[in-house]
Amino acid sequence: MNTADLLRSPNTVLANAVNDALDIMRPRLLDTVVERIEFAVGTQINGRPHIGTHLVQSLSFLIAERARDEFGVDVAVAFTALDNAPARTITSDGRKYQLTYHHQLADDGIRALVTEHYSPLFDTMTQRTGVEYGISTYTEQQATPEFRAEFLRTLEYLEEIRYWLAPASGTAHIRLPCPVCGWTEKYADRTRLLELDGSGALFEAMCHEHGRYEADITPLGGGYLDLATLYRNVVKERSYPPDDGTLHVMVKGGDWAFGCQLVDGAHVSIGIPSGSLPLRLFTPQVLGSDGGKLSKSLLREAASHGPAADPGQSGWLLDPATWPGTQADYLAALSGLGELMLSSPRHFYRSYTTTALESLMTTRQPAKHQLQTHGRPRNIQIYKQYFDLIASGEKTVEVRVAYDSMKRIRIGDLLNFTCRGEECLTRVTRVGRYPTFKEMFGTEDPKDVNPHATEAEQLRTIQAIFPPHKEALGVITFEITRMNSDE
C-alpha cells in the first residue's frame, strides 16, 4: 500500500531537512559513544487516557524500534506516571489548593490505574516491537537522591531562573504538601525559602486547614517535593547521570515545543551541565475540530456543563475503551497509525485533528500481505536513490551492519523498504555474513548492490555511512525479490 494514497502532508522546515524523523538524533550519536538509548515518556495520571496520550506512548515504542534497527544499539522505553497531577482542587480564602493523585490514592491506587489504563498498551507494543519498558512514578522520581540534589542546586540560581519557570509572576511553583493532610497551595505564592546550605533547604508553606508548616528538603529525604511542569522538567533533564553510555531522549507531544523555550532558558541561566542534556523528540500534536489541542481538562469541563462541544466526535477518541471492536483491533489500528506517521518526516512533523485520526484509523486496512502466516513485514528506512533501485528491480542485494535486530532476519522474511511515503515490499531469499565490507564484495556482485557504481565507489560510500566501530560488528547482506501487494 502506498501511503501517499492515505495521507497528504505539507512540507515543513524540519521535514525538509531530514529523510527520517529519527535523523535529528544522528548528530548526537555521531558526537558521543552511545551504547543504549532510553526513550522517556511521561503521562499525567488524571483520568482515562485519550487518543493523544496513547499516540505519544505507542510512538515511543515504534521510534525505539526504528532507532534500534537504524543505529544498532540497545533501546528501552521508560514510562513515568505523573501521579503528582491534581486529583482535587478547592478554593479557600481566595487561594487555590490541590491534592495530588498520589496523596489521594497512595501507591496501590496508582499502580491499579497504570495497570488498567496503560499496561495493556505497553505489553502489546513490546510484543510488536521487541522493545522492553519500565514503569516508575513521579513520587519515586522525586525521592531519588539525584533528583533532589539537582533541585537543591537549582535553588542557588532561583533568582535567575524564577521568571523562566513562571514568566507571569516570577514565583516558581514549588509545592510542598502539608505533612498532615497532603493539600498544598497550587501556585505556591506563600511558600518561602528560609535557609539553603550544603545540607539542604528549609521552606515554610501554608495549609488552608493546618496553617503554617515547614518542610526540610535534603538529598536523602525530607518532605514531598511537588514541582510544577516546567520546573520538574528542568530538574529531570539535569539529573540524568553524565557519561553513562546512555542517550536519553524525551518523547513529548508537539505542544511541548513552545514550553521548552522556557526550560532551555532556565538551563542557560544555571549553566549547561557537564554531561549533555537529553534530546527531545516531539510527536504529532492531536487537535480537536476547532484546532485546539485535545485536552482532558477541557473535556472534563465540557462534560460538567452538558453535551460535548464537538458532538460529531466519536467517543473512542476520548475513551479508547469504547472503540467499536476488540481492544486488540484498536491497538493494531493505533500501531498502524504510528507506522504511517513515521513513514515520512512530512507525516510526522505536523498536527492531526481528531477527524483525520478517526478516518486514518478506521479506513486504513492492513495490507493483504500482513494477514498471511509469514508474519508482519519489517519496515526498513532507506535513502531515496537506493529505494528507487529496489523498486525498479535493479538492486537485489541490501547491505547492513550486523546489528542484533538484523541478525534475526531469516530467509523467507518480508522486508518493507520505505522512503518519503513510498513502500516496496520484498522477500528475503538469501542471507550472507561477512567480517568486513571489503570481504563482502569479494563474494557479492557489486552490480547486485548498486548497478550504477563501481566496487571502489560503493566501498567508500558504505564505509562513510557505517564508520569502523559499526563495521566491526560484522556485515550482513540480504538478497531480496520484489513482491506484489496481493502476494
Side-chain angles (χ1 to χ4, degrees), residues 10-48:
N11 201 3
T12 63
V13 173
L14 185 53
N16 194 42
V18 298
N19 292 325
D20 186 278
L22 269 65
D23 282 343
I24 64 169
M25 299 170 55
R26 199 177 303 277
R28 180 71 68 86
L29 290 166
L30 292 174
D31 187 53
T32 57
V33 177
V34 173
E35 300 174 356
R36 180 175 178 271
I37 305 176
E38 182 178 271
F39 295 86
V41 57
T43 300
Q44 285 196 340
I45 306 298
N46 56 353
R48 289 184 176 276

Side-chain angles (χ1 to χ4, degrees), residues 144-162:
T144 63
E146 295 81 7
F147 188 93
R148 297 171 80 86
E150 191 58 53
F151 165 70
L152 292 171
R153 277 191 285 270
T154 67
L155 293 178
E156 300 174 16
Y157 302 88
L158 190 56
E159 187 61 31
E160 291 86 349
I161 66 176
R162 63 190 184 96

Side-chain angles (χ1 to χ4, degrees), residues 359-380:
S359 176
L360 291 169
M361 289 182 68
T362 57
T363 62
R364 187 188 188 203
Q365 299 298 321
K368 291 183 180 179
H369 62 69
Q370 293 184 353
L371 303 177
Q372 305 300 317
T373 57
H374 46 56
R376 187 171 67 95
R378 177 187 292 269
N379 289 323
I380 295 182

Side-chain angles (χ1 to χ4, degrees), residues 253-301:
D255 60 305
W256 254 105
F258 306 107
C260 283
Q261 299 177 78
L262 298 173
V263 173
D264 287 340
H267 284 317
V268 171
S269 296
I270 298 171
I272 305 300
S274 57
S276 296
L277 293 168
L279 284 176
R280 304 187 190 112
L281 200 155
F282 302 106
T283 62
Q285 185 169 341
V286 179
L287 310 176
S289 61
D290 62 352
K293 173 182 174 288
L294 191 63
S295 164
K296 283 184 276 191
S297 298
L298 289 180
L299 293 173
R300 288 195 300 270
E301 181 180 334

Side-chain angles (χ1 to χ4, degrees), residues 24-302:
I24 64 169
M25 299 170 55
R26 199 177 303 277
R28 180 71 68 86
L29 290 166
L30 292 174
D31 187 53
T32 57
V33 177
V34 173
E35 300 174 356
R36 180 175 178 271
I37 305 176
E38 182 178 271
F39 295 86
V41 57
T43 300
Q44 285 196 340
I45 306 298
N46 56 353
R48 289 184 176 276
H50 57 53
I51 185 65
T53 301
H54 273 177
L55 182 61
V56 175
Q57 293 166 346
S58 59
L59 278 169
S60 299
F61 284 89
L62 295 173
I63 290 167
E65 178 189 31
R66 291 169 74 92
R68 179 193 64 202
D69 294 345
E70 176 69 19
F71 303 121
V73 296
D74 291 334
V75 297
V77 169
F79 171 70
T80 302
L82 300 176
D83 57 345
N84 64 322
R88 295 173 58 192
T89 58
I90 61 172
T91 300
S92 178
D93 296 328
R95 289 184 170 84
K96 288 188 176 181
Y97 294 82
Q98 69 180 46
L99 185 72
T100 72
Y101 271 82
H102 165 76
H103 289 90
Q104 176 169 281
L105 300 180
D107 292 341
D108 289 344
I110 296 299
R111 281 194 291 270
L113 277 180
V114 172
T115 299
E116 178 183 1
H117 296 317
Y118 303 102
S119 294
L121 170 63
F122 297 159
D123 292 339
T124 297
M125 295 307 301
T126 290
Q127 292 171 6
R128 288 183 66 88
T129 63
V131 176
E132 300 294 333
Y133 71 91
I135 295 178
S136 62
T137 64
Y138 171 77
T139 295
E140 294 168 339
Q141 183 183 86
Q142 64 86 34
T144 63
E146 295 81 7
F147 188 93
R148 297 171 80 86
E150 191 58 53
F151 165 70
L152 292 171
R153 277 191 285 270
T154 67
L155 293 178
E156 300 174 16
Y157 302 88
L158 190 56
E159 187 61 31
E160 291 86 349
I161 66 176
R162 63 190 184 96
Y163 275 99
W164 288 112
L165 302 177
S169 65
T171 300
H173 297 171
I174 304 172
R175 297 188 286 254
L176 305 164
C178 172
V180 179
C181 64
W183 285 84
T184 183
E185 278 189 323
K186 182 176 181 62
Y187 302 115
D189 51 342
R190 290 185 293 178
T191 298
R192 298 286 181 269
L193 175 61
L194 301 178
E195 297 178 17
L196 176 64
D197 57 30
S199 62
L202 181 65
F203 290 88
E204 72 169 4
M206 294 293 293
C207 174
H208 67 283
E209 183 176 353
H210 299 100
R212 179 186 178 279
Y213 59 92
E214 293 185 353
D216 189 8
I217 305 298
T218 73
L220 300 179
Y224 189 96
L225 182 59
D226 178 12
L227 300 180
T229 304
L230 292 174
Y231 206 159
R232 180 183 71 244
N233 276 266
V234 169
V235 175
K236 180 178 180 179
E237 291 185 358
R238 301 180 70 86
S239 63
Y240 285 116
D243 305 322
D244 64 348
T246 297
L247 173 62
H248 298 276
V249 180
M250 317 296 288
V251 184
K252 297 178 175 293
D255 60 305
W256 254 105
F258 306 107
C260 283
Q261 299 177 78
L262 298 173
V263 173
D264 287 340
H267 284 317
V268 171
S269 296
I270 298 171
I272 305 300
S274 57
S276 296
L277 293 168
L279 284 176
R280 304 187 190 112
L281 200 155
F282 302 106
T283 62
Q285 185 169 341
V286 179
L287 310 176
S289 61
D290 62 352
K293 173 182 174 288
L294 191 63
S295 164
K296 283 184 276 191
S297 298
L298 289 180
L299 293 173
R300 288 195 300 270
E301 181 180 334

